[in-house]
Amino acid sequence: MMQDRLQKTMLVCSILLSTAAMSVMLYFSATKTIIIAEEAPEWTDAARQPEERRENALYFEADERPEGIRIPLPAEIRADDIVIENRYVEHRIHIILTGKYGEFYRTNPLLGNDSRVTAGFLQEENGMTDLQLQMSGLYEHQYMFENGELQLSFVEPGQLYDSIVVLDAAHGGSDIGHTGNGIQEKDIVLEITEMVKEKLESENIRVYCTRTDDTELSEKQRADFVNELQADLLVSVRTGADEGSSQVSGIQTFYNGTYFLPYFGNVQLADLLERNTIAMTGGKANGLMEAGNEDILLWNVQVPAAAIEVGYVTNQEEADLLLLKEYKERLAEGIANAVREANAVRAEGF
């Protein structure tokens, strides 16, 4: 008897709990409005959010479409007033509007329930409004203007492009790299990678850069970006330096000898970089060198990769050359030619 009463009591409690849970689910389903904050789900109670974060969180309202986000635009906004920046390494897309529209987006939610968008936040600064979408991973974006809205959709890069190349401009930010004869490594290699990118993208090769400005990223962050992207090739652009002798000069390439593919790998890419840059510049070839395990980037990427040192900043003659735009263009063309050949070899291998 006692056991029967206990079982009945447990059954009643279970029914009551299930009913309460269903009521909560129906309530949230009916409202269809959620706030996505960068720290979710820790701040599920809006009253506990820091004031600034709560005021600047973007509101999202779900609709019937499972993919994409629709962003309402103030009536006066035109296409020329919008800049979209995809900061791939940070998994963040910035939609930058000319004008201050914080109040507009506090009362006009973004529409959509795409699970790849995990957070939303806005900033107003210098007469601009920056709408930031934090993504769950690395995605390309496509957009369209229609009916007073900016419509965004997202897709993995590998679904769009046949060839994906990553260019790495070494160092950045407070990490200035080698210095000598008026040159900072972080600046000169960024200029060269931008030139290479321009040359390759004119030929429908999709180029990603680990950095496009004076940003500081760890070697591990760069490697993680390349691996997540599942790129076909990585080329890291660097300079050399020898504090012991200003006479040391030349171009040399580095590779990780422990990672290779049967048809094309790190040694082959390093060789193509060395030969093509020497052919374009007439410089001194120092040859191929296996990278030590302290080279975190080359030792952690899982794609064919090599690093090229385009000259010694501690050598006066090479430093003078590296300051010339024409010489940097030749270096860039040599690197671009190496990538073109590598792509051709890869295509044959498949």
Side-chain angles (χ1 to χ4, degrees):
M1 294 293 291
M2 180 65 70
Q3 186 175 3
D4 290 341
R5 285 199 298 270
L6 181 59
Q7 288 178 345
K8 290 179 181 179
T9 302
M10 291 176 65
L11 178 60
V12 170
C13 290
S14 176
I15 293 171
L16 289 174
L17 287 171
S18 298
T19 303
M22 183 62 71
S23 299
V24 171
M25 291 172 63
L26 289 173
Y27 170 76
F28 282 109
S29 176
T31 58
K32 289 189 178 179
T33 301
I34 59 173
I35 300 175
I36 302 180
E38 285 190 345
E39 300 291 335
E42 182 180 350
W43 291 339
T44 53
D45 180 0
R48 302 202 328 266
Q49 295 184 23
E51 189 66 27
E52 180 183 358
R53 181 72 65 176
R54 188 165 68 246
E55 288 183 357
N56 293 293
L58 286 171
Y59 287 75
F60 289 72
E61 184 174 292
D63 61 12
E64 70 282 358
R65 288 179 289 186
E67 296 186 349
I69 294 293
R70 293 154 52 209
I71 302 175
L73 299 173
E76 63 272 22
I77 287 290
R78 299 291 179 265
D80 292 344
D81 300 321
I82 303 174
V83 174
I84 303 176
E85 295 180 358
N86 198 329
R87 302 184 186 178
Y88 302 98
V89 178
E90 301 165 4
H91 296 169
R92 194 164 63 241
I93 297 175
H94 291 244
I95 300 95
I96 303 170
L97 310 179
T98 301
K100 300 182 70 174
Y101 297 106
E103 288 302 319
F104 177 86
Y105 286 104
R106 291 185 183 98
T107 57
N108 290 272
L110 279 60
L111 304 174
N113 55 353
D114 196 314
S115 61
R116 290 169 292 188
V117 181
T118 63
F121 186 69
L122 72 85
Q123 286 184 325
E124 289 181 292
E125 190 175 15
N126 300 324
M128 311 291 282
T129 301
D130 183 3
L131 308 178
Q132 304 174 16
L133 302 180
Q134 189 67 45
M135 309 300 294
S136 63
L138 198 160
Y139 296 100
E140 281 285 0
H141 69 276
Q142 297 173 315
Y143 65 90
M144 179 174 64
F145 297 97
E146 188 175 50
N147 300 325
E149 295 177 338
L150 174 63
Q151 300 182 11
L152 287 174
S153 59
F154 314 106
V155 63
E156 293 180 0
Q159 296 177 311
L160 288 178
Y161 308 112
D162 294 329
S163 177
I164 297 176
V165 174
V166 177
L167 300 177
D168 172 60
H171 309 286
S174 62
D175 178 13
I176 61 177
H178 294 135
T179 60
N181 296 301
I183 291 178
Q184 291 187 338
E185 181 177 8
K186 67 171 185 176
D187 298 327
I188 211 77
V189 296
L190 182 59
E191 292 179 44
I192 294 171
T193 55
E194 288 174 342
M195 292 175 179
V196 178
K197 182 176 187 290
E198 183 177 349
K199 294 176 186 298
L200 292 176
E201 285 198 327
S202 64
E203 303 172 20
N204 295 321
I205 297 175
R206 182 64 171 103
V207 179
Y208 291 85
C209 295
T210 55
R211 68 182 182 97
T212 57
D213 54 22
D214 195 19
T215 301
E216 186 168 349
L217 295 169
S218 71
E219 296 290 295
K220 184 62 166 55
Q221 284 177 297
R222 298 168 195 248
D224 288 346
F225 168 63
V226 175
N227 292 333
E228 182 183 12
L229 187 58
Q230 298 181 2
D232 298 305
L233 298 171
L234 164 70
V235 175
S236 182
V237 182
R238 309 171 181 179
T239 69
D242 191 323
E243 301 299 334
S245 173
S246 61
Q247 302 305 307
V248 178
S249 64
I251 294 172
Q252 57 193 351
T253 54
F254 296 82
Y255 64 94
N256 173 5
T258 65
Y259 178 83
F260 64 93
L261 296 174
Y263 58 91
F264 185 82
N266 297 337
V267 176
Q268 290 91 338
L269 178 58
D271 180 58
L272 288 176
L273 286 167
E274 182 87 0
R275 288 192 290 105
N276 278 280
T277 51
I278 294 302
M280 287 301 302
T281 63
K284 173 188 172 186
N286 287 344
L288 281 59
M289 298 184 66
E290 189 163 357
N293 57 13
E294 72 278 0
D295 194 323
I296 297 173
L297 177 60
L298 293 187
W299 272 75
N300 282 275
V301 294
Q302 298 166 4
V303 304
I308 179 166
E309 290 186 353
V310 294
Y312 278 71
V313 297
T314 47
N315 178 276
Q316 184 68 63
E317 182 179 352
E318 283 194 331
D320 290 343
L321 287 172
L322 288 171
L323 290 172
L324 296 176
K325 182 179 180 181
E326 181 183 356
Y327 188 75
K328 285 180 284 193
E329 287 283 359
R330 290 180 183 176
L331 283 168
E333 189 62 40
I335 294 170
N337 285 340
V339 171
R340 294 180 186 112
E341 285 192 44
N343 272 337
V345 173
R346 285 184 61 259
E348 291 176 3
F350 286 120

